[in-house]
Amino acid sequence: MVAYSVGAMDAVFRALADASRRRLLDRLNTRNGQSLREMCEGLGMSRQAVSKHLAVLEAASLVTAVRHGREKLHYLNPVPIQELADRWVGRFDRGRLAALSDLKRTLEGTSMRKPEFVYVIYIQSTPDELYRALTDRAFIAVYMGGMGPESDWQAGSPVRWKMDPNGGFEELGQRVLEAEPGRRLSYTWHTLQPMHRELFGSDEEFAEACRERSRVTFDIEPAEIPELGVKLTITHDGFDSPDSKMLEGTSGGWIMIASALKTMLEGGRLVARQG
């Protein structure tokens, strides 16, 4: 993780110091992806007061807001809290496994509404370098362990996927939806594969689940605090229900991929390969 500046940590502490803001975070921890109207329900606060609290939480990067149609949905972003834990309690072994378990449950909440999975990570890189890492096959192979996508990354082009490091690329019906270098990349996701059949009780359930077609989007923008580098928002949506097996599988996967991507870009490997 990126080491937060003193100013960034101060913003997080200020945001967490207010009981009403902590209550809003608790609500998102219970059910991620809520609209302002939903956040206001039963709080005894005005809509304006809730909006101001959410603005403070967004400024501290504790909450991420994503447009979905006419609504603006709010998502808990636990990265700054993890940074605080790493700095202040990281030297102690006791409780670390519990903290990581709580973080995992937060990120993989099962009661989300669309967009079902949103994850934000800050990477010391440039928008162009990050976009290249998302689209260049040589770099993808590094942080995805030899697996992952291949495409010419033009809107409408197929995205072929390598499921096995020792296998070939497969045509699974994926297509590029948007491709704006340095800004945004989006493509459709593949359906469940035969290997997932064991997750279902019957062939009928599996066949129904295989009809689900989701998509993943990477939004790249400068971080609100320059010292943090680039802000990458991964949104995986289009699932049929919060109980989707694909959602369950991809949520944890994207977190690991984003972590490996960050390690690659911040460890000098990208620069070395470019040279």
Side-chain angles (χ1 to χ4, degrees):
M1 291 292 182
V2 174
Y4 270 48
S5 66
V6 173
M9 284 194 171
D10 286 346
V12 174
F13 278 120
R14 284 195 296 270
L16 294 175
D18 186 274
S20 295
R21 290 195 282 272
R22 293 197 299 273
R23 190 175 178 187
L24 291 175
L25 291 177
D26 285 338
R27 282 199 158 200
L28 292 177
N29 188 32
T30 301
R31 182 167 68 83
N32 229 350
Q34 296 189 50
S35 66
L36 177 59
R37 173 183 56 78
E38 292 171 314
M39 296 292 290
C40 292
E41 291 176 356
L43 282 181
M45 284 191 289
S46 68
R47 187 183 180 94
Q48 182 179 20
V50 174
S51 293
K52 288 182 178 180
H53 283 310
L54 287 173
V56 173
L57 292 170
E58 285 188 57
S61 298
L62 289 165
V63 167
T64 299
V66 178
R67 280 284 175 192
H68 185 69
R70 295 183 178 181
E71 290 187 306
K72 187 178 181 183
L73 305 183
H74 300 85
Y75 290 82
L76 175 66
N77 179 33
V79 173
I81 297 176
Q82 186 182 13
E83 288 287 344
L84 294 181
D86 288 343
R87 175 172 177 176
W88 297 106
V89 301
R91 71 191 68 179
F92 304 106
D93 290 332
R94 185 173 58 186
R96 285 181 65 83
L97 292 178
L100 290 173
S101 177
D102 290 342
L103 174 64
K104 183 175 186 293
R105 284 196 296 272
T106 296
L107 294 172
E108 297 179 351
T110 58
S111 57
M112 301 182 198
R113 52 169 294 179
K114 294 183 177 181
E116 287 86 350
F117 176 81
V118 176
Y119 183 59
V120 176
I121 189 168
Y122 293 88
I123 301 175
Q124 292 284 358
S125 183
T126 67
D128 288 339
E129 286 177 337
L130 179 51
Y131 186 85
R132 184 182 177 192
L134 292 172
T135 55
D136 188 293
R137 181 58 212 166
F139 298 140
I140 293 171
V142 173
Y143 63 85
M144 286 198 179
M147 299 179 286
E150 176 186 67
S151 177
D152 64 11
W153 304 111
Q154 301 298 314
S157 291
V159 179
R160 299 194 304 151
W161 202 270
K162 194 173 187 180
M163 296 285 190
D164 186 328
N166 299 316
F169 289 94
E170 300 179 57
E171 169 57 69
L172 301 173
Q174 296 177 255
R175 293 292 181 272
V176 179
L177 299 174
E178 298 179 69
E180 299 179 51
R183 295 183 58 189
R184 184 179 175 89
L185 178 68
S186 180
Y187 51 89
T188 57
W189 196 246
H190 57 76
T191 58
L192 290 167
Q193 300 301 302
M195 69 181 75
H196 302 124
R197 168 60 183 85
E198 62 185 27
L199 301 175
F200 297 85
S202 68
D203 291 340
E204 290 74 18
E205 289 180 46
F206 179 59
E208 179 65 27
C210 283
R211 296 190 181 98
E212 182 177 69
R213 172 64 74 180
S214 59
R215 65 183 175 188
V216 62
T217 302
F218 305 88
D219 285 302
I220 303 169
E221 56 187 316
E224 299 86 346
I225 302 172
E227 293 91 331
L228 298 182
V230 180
K231 177 181 178 181
L232 173 64
T233 302
I234 303 174
T235 304
H236 199 151
D237 62 1
F239 299 103
D240 290 339
S241 75
D243 298 321
S244 164
K245 293 297 183 183
M246 185 65 83
L247 169 59
E248 181 182 334
T250 57
S251 296
W254 283 126
I255 295 169
M256 291 188 289
I257 288 171
S259 177
L261 171 63
K262 176 182 173 68
T263 298
M264 183 189 76
L265 288 173
E266 294 184 351
R269 299 174 71 173
L270 178 60
V271 174
R273 292 178 69 98
Q274 286 177 314

